[in-house]
Amino acid sequence: MAKSITDKTVLLFKYNGTPLAANAVTTSNTPFVKPNIKNKTYKDVGTGKLGASRTYFDENQTDTSVDIEILLRGSDKTGTAPKTAPKIAELLKSVGLTETQGTVDITYTPNHGYVAPSTCYVYQDDEKRSITGAMADMKIEGTVGEAAKATFTVQGFTLPSPAIETNPTVTLDSNSLMIVSKITAVTLAGTVLNITKFELSLNNELKLDYATAMSEFVRKDFAPTIKLTGVKTKGDLTAWSDLTATSVKEIIIVLGSGAGKTITITATQAKTSDMEENDDDGTVGYSRTFDLQGDASGENQFKIKWS
């Protein structure tokens, strides 16, 4: 008996379009697409029998949610074209980020307008699952001693059954991994922090609109945050005083180094919203959460730059 092999998984993703082999995404997990078919249970009254419940399905409302985990990489390992879009560019645009290409870099910032739906194809050993009308949320996290990663939670519509279709031949991303180490620079208002973990969460609020002649996911809002987990410096009470302060601070996280091998996350309007301390195997650690506020125009909550 032939068995399906999980390692034979290929994922294609395209924002506002149909994905091709060139839109292959290199994942660090095996994404399984589970169809959720809208159903209702009812019971015909009057038979006098127990266990008479029945279920009906609306296969036209078959949606799904799948997590796509990706190790963060640079944009150009040769260093000659650092403004090249990263291989996850289509996913970044799908969560509502606008792409801006500079002379030596490429930047992604929150888009406050309409976000068009995306399409995702997941091939697993010659079986194809399609996700259409897709919207997504994003979290970027890094732990010291590990490669930083991004997780995209994609919601969209699919069919109850997969299609038989041969896996496409694709080229995987071979650019430099973003390793979080002791030389990784994390600063708050210019002060270097001792961080063991960071998390940037976009927190997209997605809504399903389902009606006659309509079935789509839309983004209602987003509320980005950064959470920093680190080692407390004895006598430093700044984090506690920042809880009641009205001022905002700038957070900068630099991953990697060198042209085409660097990612910089910047949040210029970060306001402490939560703070807690804990026992980290005999020393005091802390977790500090920041709300990423907009600038005077209400925009530019953060930016992610490949350079």
Side-chain angles (χ1 to χ4, degrees), residues 32-169:
F32 285 93
V33 179
K34 178 185 177 182
N36 301 307
I37 309 172
K38 182 70 173 181
N39 64 82
K40 288 286 186 180
T41 300
Y42 70 98
K43 182 166 62 175
D44 290 329
V45 178
T47 64
K49 304 296 183 180
L50 302 179
S53 295
R54 299 181 181 182
T55 303
Y56 64 86
F57 294 87
D58 176 10
E59 65 180 48
N60 293 302
Q61 187 179 351
T62 303
D63 56 48
T64 189
S65 177
V66 61
D67 286 339
I68 302 172
E69 295 181 3
I70 299 167
L71 298 182
L72 286 181
R73 299 173 184 265
S75 57
D76 175 37
K77 64 183 179 181
T78 68
T80 59
K83 65 179 182 179
T84 301
K87 298 297 185 181
I88 61 171
E90 298 300 312
L91 280 158
L92 293 170
K93 288 183 280 189
S94 78
V95 301
L97 302 185
T98 297
E99 180 181 275
T100 304
Q101 192 174 65
T103 55
V104 294
D105 56 41
I106 190 164
T107 302
Y108 296 85
T109 54
N111 165 20
H112 292 257
Y114 173 70
V115 179
S118 300
T119 301
C120 178
Y121 295 157
V122 180
Y123 293 83
Q124 289 183 325
D125 204 357
D126 300 333
E127 293 185 8
K128 176 186 176 183
R129 286 278 190 185
S130 300
I131 305 174
T132 58
M135 302 292 289
D137 194 13
M138 177 190 74
K139 180 171 73 172
I140 293 176
E141 58 187 318
T143 301
V144 169
E146 301 178 7
K149 70 175 183 178
T151 300
F152 296 89
T153 300
V154 177
Q155 297 183 57
F157 299 95
T158 188
L159 296 174
S161 298
I164 300 299
E165 186 172 321
T166 304
N167 281 26
T169 300

Side-chain angles (χ1 to χ4, degrees), residues 200-270:
L200 166 64
S201 299
L202 184 55
N203 296 319
N204 271 341
E205 184 179 352
L206 305 180
K207 175 179 178 289
L208 169 61
D209 285 338
Y210 186 70
T212 55
M214 174 186 290
S215 58
E216 62 181 13
F217 285 92
V218 296
R219 183 185 67 166
K220 292 174 55 182
D221 202 356
F222 66 94
T225 61
I226 284 181
K227 183 177 182 180
L228 301 178
T229 302
V231 181
K232 180 183 177 180
T233 300
K234 183 178 179 179
D236 185 1
L237 306 180
T238 305
W240 293 110
S241 60
D242 281 350
L243 274 172
T244 55
T246 58
S247 59
V248 295
K249 295 186 175 181
E250 181 179 62
I251 298 174
I252 300 177
I253 302 170
V254 182
L255 302 171
S257 63
K261 307 178 185 70
T262 304
I263 299 176
T264 305
I265 300 171
T266 305
T268 59
Q269 307 284 322

